[in-house]
Short mmCIF file of all heavy atoms in Angstrom, two decimals:
data_model
loop_
_atom_site.label_atom_id
_atom_site.label_comp_id
_atom_site.label_asym_id
_atom_site.label_seq_id
_atom_site.Cartn_x
_atom_site.Cartn_y
_atom_site.Cartn_z
N SER A 1264 -28.50 -6.09 -16.19
CA SER A 1264 -27.65 -5.15 -16.92
C SER A 1264 -28.18 -4.92 -18.33
O SER A 1264 -28.99 -5.70 -18.86
CB SER A 1264 -26.20 -5.66 -17.00
OG SER A 1264 -26.10 -6.67 -17.97
N THR A 1265 -27.70 -3.85 -18.94
CA THR A 1265 -28.15 -3.48 -20.28
C THR A 1265 -27.78 -4.52 -21.32
O THR A 1265 -28.46 -4.65 -22.34
CB THR A 1265 -27.53 -2.13 -20.68
OG1 THR A 1265 -26.11 -2.22 -20.52
CG2 THR A 1265 -28.04 -0.99 -19.82
N ALA A 1266 -26.71 -5.27 -21.09
CA ALA A 1266 -26.24 -6.24 -22.08
C ALA A 1266 -27.22 -7.40 -22.27
O ALA A 1266 -27.13 -8.12 -23.26
CB ALA A 1266 -24.87 -6.78 -21.69
N GLU A 1267 -28.14 -7.58 -21.33
CA GLU A 1267 -29.03 -8.75 -21.36
C GLU A 1267 -30.36 -8.48 -22.04
O GLU A 1267 -31.20 -9.38 -22.15
CB GLU A 1267 -29.30 -9.21 -19.92
CG GLU A 1267 -28.06 -9.61 -19.15
CD GLU A 1267 -28.37 -9.83 -17.68
OE1 GLU A 1267 -28.75 -10.96 -17.32
OE2 GLU A 1267 -28.25 -8.87 -16.89
N ILE A 1268 -30.59 -7.24 -22.49
CA ILE A 1268 -31.91 -6.88 -23.01
C ILE A 1268 -31.77 -6.02 -24.26
O ILE A 1268 -30.77 -5.32 -24.45
CB ILE A 1268 -32.72 -6.08 -21.95
CG1 ILE A 1268 -31.84 -5.02 -21.26
CG2 ILE A 1268 -33.39 -7.00 -20.96
CD1 ILE A 1268 -32.58 -4.13 -20.28
N PRO A 1269 -32.80 -6.05 -25.14
CA PRO A 1269 -32.80 -5.12 -26.27
C PRO A 1269 -32.97 -3.69 -25.77
O PRO A 1269 -33.47 -3.46 -24.65
CB PRO A 1269 -33.98 -5.57 -27.11
CG PRO A 1269 -34.85 -6.36 -26.19
CD PRO A 1269 -33.96 -6.94 -25.13
N ILE A 1270 -32.59 -2.74 -26.60
CA ILE A 1270 -32.54 -1.33 -26.17
C ILE A 1270 -33.90 -0.83 -25.68
O ILE A 1270 -33.99 -0.04 -24.74
CB ILE A 1270 -31.97 -0.44 -27.29
CG1 ILE A 1270 -31.62 0.95 -26.76
CG2 ILE A 1270 -32.89 -0.38 -28.49
CD1 ILE A 1270 -30.79 1.79 -27.72
N GLY A 1271 -34.99 -1.35 -26.26
CA GLY A 1271 -36.32 -0.89 -25.87
C GLY A 1271 -36.73 -1.28 -24.46
O GLY A 1271 -37.70 -0.75 -23.92
N LYS A 1272 -35.98 -2.23 -23.86
CA LYS A 1272 -36.28 -2.66 -22.48
C LYS A 1272 -35.46 -1.88 -21.44
O LYS A 1272 -35.71 -2.01 -20.24
CB LYS A 1272 -35.99 -4.15 -22.32
CG LYS A 1272 -36.92 -5.06 -23.11
CD LYS A 1272 -38.26 -5.18 -22.43
CE LYS A 1272 -39.20 -6.12 -23.17
NZ LYS A 1272 -40.55 -6.12 -22.57
N VAL A 1273 -34.48 -1.10 -21.89
CA VAL A 1273 -33.60 -0.40 -20.94
C VAL A 1273 -34.37 0.57 -20.03
O VAL A 1273 -34.02 0.71 -18.86
CB VAL A 1273 -32.44 0.30 -21.69
CG1 VAL A 1273 -31.62 1.20 -20.76
CG2 VAL A 1273 -31.54 -0.76 -22.35
N PRO A 1274 -35.45 1.24 -20.51
CA PRO A 1274 -36.20 2.10 -19.58
C PRO A 1274 -36.68 1.35 -18.33
O PRO A 1274 -36.71 1.93 -17.24
CB PRO A 1274 -37.38 2.59 -20.43
CG PRO A 1274 -36.87 2.57 -21.83
CD PRO A 1274 -35.95 1.38 -21.90
N TYR A 1275 -37.03 0.07 -18.48
CA TYR A 1275 -37.49 -0.70 -17.31
C TYR A 1275 -36.33 -0.97 -16.35
O TYR A 1275 -36.52 -1.02 -15.14
CB TYR A 1275 -38.14 -2.01 -17.76
CG TYR A 1275 -39.34 -1.81 -18.64
CD1 TYR A 1275 -39.28 -2.08 -20.01
CD2 TYR A 1275 -40.53 -1.30 -18.12
CE1 TYR A 1275 -40.39 -1.88 -20.82
CE2 TYR A 1275 -41.65 -1.09 -18.93
CZ TYR A 1275 -41.56 -1.37 -20.29
OH TYR A 1275 -42.65 -1.15 -21.08
N LEU A 1276 -35.13 -1.14 -16.92
CA LEU A 1276 -33.95 -1.32 -16.06
C LEU A 1276 -33.69 -0.03 -15.27
O LEU A 1276 -33.30 -0.09 -14.10
CB LEU A 1276 -32.74 -1.69 -16.92
CG LEU A 1276 -31.47 -2.08 -16.15
CD1 LEU A 1276 -31.68 -3.37 -15.36
CD2 LEU A 1276 -30.28 -2.24 -17.10
N LYS A 1277 -33.93 1.11 -15.89
CA LYS A 1277 -33.74 2.39 -15.18
C LYS A 1277 -34.76 2.52 -14.04
O LYS A 1277 -34.42 3.00 -12.95
CB LYS A 1277 -33.83 3.57 -16.16
CG LYS A 1277 -32.58 3.64 -17.04
CD LYS A 1277 -32.61 4.74 -18.06
CE LYS A 1277 -31.26 4.75 -18.80
NZ LYS A 1277 -31.33 5.18 -20.17
N LYS A 1278 -35.99 2.07 -14.30
CA LYS A 1278 -37.00 2.12 -13.22
C LYS A 1278 -36.60 1.21 -12.06
O LYS A 1278 -36.75 1.57 -10.89
CB LYS A 1278 -38.37 1.70 -13.77
CG LYS A 1278 -38.99 2.70 -14.74
CD LYS A 1278 -40.33 2.20 -15.26
CE LYS A 1278 -40.87 3.03 -16.40
NZ LYS A 1278 -41.17 4.43 -16.04
#
Side-chain angles (χ1 to χ4, degrees):
S1264 77
T1265 54
E1267 300 170 88
I1268 43 176
I1270 193 168
K1272 293 283 182 186
V1273 172
Y1275 300 107
L1276 187 65
K1277 287 178 176 149
K1278 290 179 190 296

